[in-house]
Structures are given as C-alpha cells and as structure tokens.
Amino acid sequence: MIIINGEKYQIDVDSNMPLLWFLRDRLEITGTKFGCGAGLCGACTVHVDGVATRACVTPVGALADKKVTTIEGLSVDGDHPLQKAWVENNVPQCGYCQAGQIMNAASFLQQNPTPSSDEIDNAMQGNICRCGTYQRIKKAIADAADELAKEVS
Ligand code: FES
C-alpha cells in the first residue's frame, strides 16, 4: 500500500516500476512530468514523506506505507504560497518543468523558510528549465518565503 495525495493505493505493478510510471500510467495522475528519465533534470520531482524525490528513478516497490505528494496534492485549490507566487510572477514559459520546480521549492522552504539568495540557488540547481525561467523562479520562491513568514508572524 502506498499513500498518494492522501489516498491509499495498492502497489499492484512490478515493484521495480518507477514511481513516475505508476503515477502517470497506472493511476493517471499526470501533473508530474517525464524529463530525462535519469534523475538529472528534476521535472519529475515529488515529495516522499515530505522530501523532494525524483519519481523517474524511484521504484514504487520501495515506497510501501510511504506518503507521496504530487503537484496535485500540494494544496487543495492551488493556493500554496508558491503556487500563488508562481502565478503573480508569470513564472512558466512552456511549463514543462514547473511542477517539479514547485515541488522542489516546497520541500526546500519547509526545511528552510527564510532562505538567502544563495541558498535558493543551491537548492534549485538540480532543476533544469529549458526555457530559462530561472530568474522568475527565484523571485517567486523569495516572494513565497516572505508570504510564509507573514503567515507565521
Ligand atoms: Fe519550459 Fe521550464 S518553463 S522548461
């Protein structure tokens, strides 16, 4: 059994199947994208027990009783501070990498809610954007961090 976005599912496939295929092909949860298939580009980033994880190189059989969150489960109405900041900053271009960008950033802000500019750069360096939206991604993460700081103060 695996928990995905709060729902329980049986792992009824070959245990070596990458989580990304299980999400997309078995469950038709398609917000998570295939990029390189080798864990190098970050497009397929999801959370496993809150930690940013590359779904294309993670066998689903290794995730028994784990909690997986995809972009669909990050917030109820697309209103996570990162998602709002993404809209306000018009971050996406083609959009392909953006679910992975947001999921990586969400895990990062959970660990470091008040990041410096360099810390944002370091945290996001594994997520590639072929359109080069890096400056807008960085601005949106900084804005979301400001928003989260207001929420807790
Ligand atoms: Fe096109 Fe990032 S927006 S790859």
Side-chain angles (χ1 to χ4, degrees):
M1 195 259 298
I2 182 171
I3 302 158
I4 300 171
N5 298 334
E7 302 274 334
K8 292 180 184 171
Y9 298 92
Q10 293 303 320
I11 302 174
D12 55 359
V13 295
D14 186 313
S15 61
N16 290 320
M17 177 184 276
L19 172 62
L20 183 58
W21 297 156
F22 187 67
L23 290 170
R24 292 184 57 85
D25 293 348
R26 177 72 186 87
L27 304 180
E28 298 184 353
I29 300 173
T30 55
T32 309
K33 304 304 183 199
F34 175 86
C36 67
L40 300 171
C41 81
C44 68
T45 304
V46 299
H47 296 176
V48 175
D49 289 343
V51 178
T53 301
R54 305 294 198 236
C56 74
V57 289
T58 304
V60 68
L63 301 176
D65 299 325
K66 303 272 188 199
K67 288 186 184 147
V68 173
T69 306
T70 70
I71 189 70
E72 291 93 340
L74 184 62
S75 63
V76 176
D77 295 316
D79 58 355
H80 185 284
L82 279 166
Q83 291 169 301
K84 290 202 262 186
W86 241 248
V87 171
E88 278 158 23
N89 286 282
N90 282 322
V91 173
Q93 192 159 311
C94 81
Y96 201 80
C97 69
Q98 299 287 334
Q101 302 277 2
I102 289 173
M103 293 309 285
N104 196 68
S107 171
F108 166 60
L109 285 183
Q110 205 125 46
Q111 294 156 24
N112 183 355
T114 55
S116 67
S117 172
D118 284 352
E119 286 169 339
I120 295 174
D121 286 341
N122 286 338
M124 299 303 294
Q125 66 181 351
N127 284 72
I128 309 301
C129 174
R130 63 190 177 189
C131 302
T133 65
Y134 298 111
Q135 292 308 315
R136 296 201 296 275
I137 288 169
K138 189 171 178 181
K139 169 78 165 47
I141 294 170
D143 287 358
D146 288 346
E147 202 51 44
L148 285 164
K150 277 188 221 153
E151 282 178 14
V152 293
S153 64

